[in-house]
């Protein structure tokens, strides 16, 4: 069982993703925006982060870059979870330090595979 931080500014999205992750047997932590996500990542050191992109204050690309550049949190794999499904968004997200990219609406089997791939390292 892994501890997974879910960062999303939409309460309904946060709840939906949390339900899927917990159904898969993982413990969840949550944050409502990128800035809060960076703080929770630093304090709690989760095993993996599911990061929305479009958020107020600090967007998911900025938060991913901040977390992946910090020596204390750079080992944490980040999965961008977003409605932005353009190839340029994917490429940019991976360049910020993300390890995977999942588009909304989330398919439970795709998320399960992504988590399994990244958590077995």
């Amino acid at each position: 069982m892994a501890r997974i931080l879910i960062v999303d500014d939409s309460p309904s999205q946060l709840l939906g993703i949390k339900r899927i992750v917990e159904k898969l047997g993982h413990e969840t932590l949550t944050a409502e925006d990128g800035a809060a996500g960076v703080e929770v990542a630093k304090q709690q050191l989760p095993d993996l982060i599911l990061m929305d992109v479009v958020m107020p204050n600090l967007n998911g690309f900025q938060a991913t870059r901040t977390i992946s550049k910090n020596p204390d949190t750079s080992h944490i794999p980040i999965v961008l979870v977003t409605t932005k499904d353009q190839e340029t968004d994917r490429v940019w997200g991976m360049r910020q330090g993300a390890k995977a990219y999942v588009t909304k609406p989330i398919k439970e089997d795709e998320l399960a595979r992504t988590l399994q791939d990244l958590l077995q390292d």
Side-chain angles (χ1 to χ4, degrees):
M1 179 172 102
R3 284 180 5 146
I4 297 177
L5 170 59
I6 304 164
V7 185
D8 200 310
D9 62 319
S10 161
S12 60
Q13 288 286 339
L14 198 62
L15 186 61
I17 297 168
K18 182 177 163 114
R19 276 198 191 117
I20 294 170
V21 170
E22 289 177 350
K23 183 177 163 191
L24 294 169
H26 303 291
E27 181 186 335
T28 57
L29 303 163
T30 60
E32 293 80 35
D33 65 40
V38 170
E39 284 310 306
V40 174
K42 280 196 257 185
Q43 292 167 6
Q44 300 291 323
L45 298 175
D47 298 305
L48 185 137
I49 300 170
L50 296 173
M51 179 80 69
D52 184 24
V53 172
V54 182
M55 295 184 287
N57 303 326
L58 200 63
N59 72 38
F61 291 141
Q62 294 165 319
T64 296
R65 185 170 53 242
T66 301
I67 292 165
S68 62
K69 298 270 186 263
N70 182 329
D72 296 332
T73 54
S74 63
H75 66 282
I76 304 169
I78 301 172
V79 178
L80 291 172
V81 181
T82 180
T83 55
K84 296 172 78 62
D85 64 353
Q86 298 298 309
E87 187 59 28
T88 53
D89 296 321
R90 285 179 188 273
V91 169
W92 183 246
M94 300 310 255
R95 287 183 62 190
Q96 304 315 302
K99 300 291 184 237
Y101 197 100
V102 175
T103 54
K104 295 177 183 175
I106 294 177
K107 295 174 203 64
E108 190 173 327
D109 58 335
E110 180 186 3
L111 184 61
R113 268 194 315 277
T114 302
L115 294 180
Q116 187 177 10
D117 291 347
L118 290 171
L119 290 169
Q120 65 187 0
D121 289 349

